[in-house]
PDB file of all heavy atoms in Angstrom:
ATOM      1  N   LEU A 561     -19.372 -88.021  29.716  1.00 73.00           N
ATOM      2  CA  LEU A 561     -18.966 -87.267  30.906  1.00 73.00           C
ATOM      3  C   LEU A 561     -18.094 -88.117  31.821  1.00 73.00           C
ATOM      4  O   LEU A 561     -17.152 -87.608  32.445  1.00 73.00           O
ATOM      5  CB  LEU A 561     -20.206 -86.760  31.649  1.00 73.00           C
ATOM      6  CG  LEU A 561     -21.015 -85.681  30.933  1.00 73.00           C
ATOM      7  CD1 LEU A 561     -22.251 -85.313  31.746  1.00 73.00           C
ATOM      8  CD2 LEU A 561     -20.169 -84.442  30.695  1.00 73.00           C
ATOM      9  N   GLN A 562     -18.425 -89.391  31.924  1.00 78.00           N
ATOM     10  CA  GLN A 562     -17.582 -90.259  32.743  1.00 78.00           C
ATOM     11  C   GLN A 562     -16.177 -90.368  32.161  1.00 78.00           C
ATOM     12  O   GLN A 562     -15.180 -90.332  32.881  1.00 78.00           O
ATOM     13  CB  GLN A 562     -18.224 -91.643  32.849  1.00 78.00           C
ATOM     14  CG  GLN A 562     -19.535 -91.663  33.644  1.00 78.00           C
ATOM     15  CD  GLN A 562     -20.178 -93.037  33.669  1.00 78.00           C
ATOM     16  OE1 GLN A 562     -19.656 -93.987  33.088  1.00 78.00           O
ATOM     17  NE2 GLN A 562     -21.317 -93.140  34.333  1.00 78.00           N
ATOM     18  N   GLN A 563     -16.115 -90.495  30.831  1.00 76.00           N
ATOM     19  CA  GLN A 563     -14.804 -90.520  30.196  1.00 76.00           C
ATOM     20  C   GLN A 563     -14.107 -89.173  30.294  1.00 76.00           C
ATOM     21  O   GLN A 563     -12.882 -89.095  30.366  1.00 76.00           O
ATOM     22  CB  GLN A 563     -14.943 -90.930  28.728  1.00 76.00           C
ATOM     23  CG  GLN A 563     -15.518 -92.318  28.516  1.00 76.00           C
ATOM     24  CD  GLN A 563     -15.754 -92.617  27.047  1.00 76.00           C
ATOM     25  OE1 GLN A 563     -15.485 -91.784  26.189  1.00 76.00           O
ATOM     26  NE2 GLN A 563     -16.284 -93.801  26.761  1.00 76.00           N
ATOM     27  N   ALA A 564     -14.926 -88.083  30.304  1.00 75.00           N
ATOM     28  CA  ALA A 564     -14.344 -86.741  30.360  1.00 75.00           C
ATOM     29  C   ALA A 564     -13.626 -86.493  31.674  1.00 75.00           C
ATOM     30  O   ALA A 564     -12.626 -85.774  31.709  1.00 75.00           O
ATOM     31  CB  ALA A 564     -15.433 -85.688  30.144  1.00 75.00           C
ATOM     32  N   ASP A 565     -14.126 -87.061  32.766  1.00 80.00           N
ATOM     33  CA  ASP A 565     -13.446 -86.881  34.047  1.00 80.00           C
ATOM     34  C   ASP A 565     -12.016 -87.410  33.987  1.00 80.00           C
ATOM     35  O   ASP A 565     -11.076 -86.780  34.483  1.00 80.00           O
ATOM     36  CB  ASP A 565     -14.228 -87.591  35.151  1.00 80.00           C
ATOM     37  CG  ASP A 565     -15.562 -86.927  35.427  1.00 80.00           C
ATOM     38  OD1 ASP A 565     -15.685 -85.728  35.099  1.00 80.00           O
ATOM     39  OD2 ASP A 565     -16.481 -87.591  35.943  1.00 80.00           O
ATOM     40  N   VAL A 566     -11.863 -88.564  33.363  1.00 83.00           N
ATOM     41  CA  VAL A 566     -10.520 -89.126  33.208  1.00 83.00           C
ATOM     42  C   VAL A 566      -9.700 -88.269  32.244  1.00 83.00           C
ATOM     43  O   VAL A 566      -8.517 -87.980  32.484  1.00 83.00           O
ATOM     44  CB  VAL A 566     -10.608 -90.582  32.698  1.00 83.00           C
ATOM     45  CG1 VAL A 566      -9.222 -91.162  32.494  1.00 83.00           C
ATOM     46  CG2 VAL A 566     -11.417 -91.428  33.667  1.00 83.00           C
ATOM     47  N   ALA A 567     -10.358 -87.830  31.137  1.00 82.00           N
ATOM     48  CA  ALA A 567      -9.644 -87.016  30.147  1.00 82.00           C
ATOM     49  C   ALA A 567      -9.208 -85.679  30.737  1.00 82.00           C
ATOM     50  O   ALA A 567      -8.126 -85.177  30.417  1.00 82.00           O
ATOM     51  CB  ALA A 567     -10.532 -86.799  28.920  1.00 82.00           C
ATOM     52  N   ARG A 568     -10.042 -85.086  31.601  1.00 83.00           N
ATOM     53  CA  ARG A 568      -9.678 -83.802  32.211  1.00 83.00           C
ATOM     54  C   ARG A 568      -8.443 -83.948  33.093  1.00 83.00           C
ATOM     55  O   ARG A 568      -7.549 -83.090  33.073  1.00 83.00           O
ATOM     56  CB  ARG A 568     -10.851 -83.259  33.030  1.00 83.00           C
ATOM     57  CG  ARG A 568     -12.017 -82.811  32.186  1.00 83.00           C
ATOM     58  CD  ARG A 568     -13.213 -82.454  33.017  1.00 83.00           C
ATOM     59  NE  ARG A 568     -13.001 -81.253  33.802  1.00 83.00           N
ATOM     60  CZ  ARG A 568     -13.927 -80.695  34.570  1.00 83.00           C
ATOM     61  NH1 ARG A 568     -15.124 -81.256  34.659  1.00 83.00           N
ATOM     62  NH2 ARG A 568     -13.666 -79.598  35.236  1.00 83.00           N
ATOM     63  N   ALA A 569      -8.383 -85.000  33.859  1.00 85.00           N
ATOM     64  CA  ALA A 569      -7.212 -85.218  34.708  1.00 85.00           C
ATOM     65  C   ALA A 569      -5.957 -85.408  33.857  1.00 85.00           C
ATOM     66  O   ALA A 569      -4.885 -84.852  34.164  1.00 85.00           O
ATOM     67  CB  ALA A 569      -7.449 -86.423  35.606  1.00 85.00           C
TER      68      ALA A 569
END
Side-chain angles (χ1 to χ4, degrees):
L561 292 177
Q562 293 177 0
Q563 298 175 0
D565 292 337
V566 178
R568 290 173 69 177

